Amino acid sequence: PRTDIVFLKVHKSASSTVMNILFRFGEKHNLTFAFPLGGGFQLYYPKHFLARFVQGFSPSRPRRFNILCHHMRFLQPEVQKVVPSSAVYFSILRNPVQLMESSFMYYKGASAFSHVRSLEEFLSDPYRYYDPAKGDSHYARNLMTFDFGFNPDGEVSTERVQLMLKAIESSFSFLLISEYFDESMVLLKEMLCWDLDSVVSFPLNIRDNSTKSPLPGSVVEKIKAWNGLDWEIYTHFNRTFWERIERDIGRERMRREVKALRERQAELARTCLQGTGSVAAKDIQDSSLRPLQHGSARILGYNLRQGLDKETERTCRRLVTPELQYSSALYKKQFPPKP
């Protein structure tokens, strides 16, 4: 199994669920994480990543960490200072239409969104509300482009797009697609030589359906145009994702693997969870399992079944622990507080 990993955690793309997978794998195999200084949750995002943002990094005695997976704005020369040269780099993308809708709900307080009632209103005249000079403007335009380290306000020219795609391809071994999450997990398992249980998960940091509504076609087209660079990244890597599956796994085997993954997840859900699945934060009995609520989104979580034996309870708890709580617990384990 590969144990040296860089995961670029792209916003609003099922990346919290992937992070849970990495946390569990790292904890099980006693790996080290490149944590933000002081145990924070982001590596000084939205600044470009620097090695000195990592707890325990020192230029005079460079220390290599196994897993780098907290939110950052990618800058490879700096990343290379904190992970071994053998590290596998991967990320996950999401259709920019759904990504923008999610970003609008989640980052409603961002300067570009705070004075509009709806996404339609914002898109009817974006430059009235959007100011690229504002420190939080990246949430409102080409968010994936920004997270990969590029300029989200660059023109969508063939030349720029080609340079961007080439740069991503040269840095990252593969990119997953959140719309095909189960297929992505099979690909991840394959690329990292992991077993099935290492990539099972329950969806984390997901929104209650009551805050979602379908977007009219005219809005969809405006979102694609406004996020032109993201659209180019997504369509390109969505295509290469399926090409890789054809080449490395084959559709037939992929079908079998996805079926096995879903069966295992259903089995774990029956073992671990009360009821059928996710619940509103107010209905989560164990306060340590309540996810952070943000913007206008209502983030769901889980209740564990009562009466589980110790080992099963531990396995189940790891699967449903929200990102911030899990990150804090692992940080304390890696950097025990001084008495």
Side-chain angles (χ1 to χ4, degrees), residues 52-72:
R52 62 184 170 81
F53 297 163
V54 172
Q55 181 75 42
F57 173 80
S58 138
S60 54
R61 287 178 299 116
R63 179 181 169 191
R64 304 283 189 231
F65 298 89
N66 299 115
I67 299 178
L68 174 60
C69 62
H70 286 73
H71 271 310
M72 63 170 159

Side-chain angles (χ1 to χ4, degrees), residues 129-144:
Y129 310 105
Y130 175 80
D131 176 358
K134 289 269 168 65
D136 60 0
S137 64
H138 55 282
Y139 291 122
R141 186 177 203 192
N142 289 317
L143 183 48
M144 294 191 290

Side-chain angles (χ1 to χ4, degrees), residues 145-191:
T145 301
F146 183 88
D147 286 354
F148 276 95
F150 305 108
N151 174 12
D153 294 295
E155 55 168 335
V156 191
S157 64
T158 311
E159 192 183 8
R160 177 186 287 272
V161 168
Q162 285 311 312
L163 283 169
M164 209 166 59
L165 296 175
K166 276 202 172 67
I168 294 171
E169 278 173 339
S170 70
S171 300
F172 290 84
S173 303
F174 55 101
L175 282 100
L176 307 175
I177 302 290
S178 66
E179 282 77 16
Y180 303 104
F181 193 80
D182 292 342
E183 291 83 354
S184 291
M185 291 305 101
V186 172
L187 185 64
L188 183 69
K189 173 172 90 72
E190 197 73 9
M191 302 303 291

Side-chain angles (χ1 to χ4, degrees), residues 276-310:
T276 52
S278 50
V279 295
K282 65 177 174 45
D283 298 323
I284 298 171
Q285 293 137 8
D286 182 340
S287 59
S288 71
L289 295 178
R290 278 185 203 135
L292 176 76
Q293 301 299 306
H294 210 288
S296 309
R298 283 206 279 279
I299 308 300
L300 304 173
Y302 298 92
N303 279 317
L304 290 179
R305 284 176 83 101
Q306 301 297 304
L308 297 171
D309 67 77
K310 215 169 186 165

Side-chain angles (χ1 to χ4, degrees), residues 6 20 30 42 48 60-61 74 76 83 103 141 145 155 161 185 201 205 215 233 260 276 287 310 319:
V6 173
N20 177 273
N30 216 12
Q42 300 195 341
H48 271 104
S60 54
R61 287 178 299 116
F74 190 65
Q76 191 164 12
V83 294
S103 190
R141 186 177 203 192
T145 301
E155 55 168 335
V161 168
M185 291 305 101
S201 63
N205 204 25
L215 298 165
I233 291 174
T276 52
S287 59
K310 215 169 186 165
L319 279 160

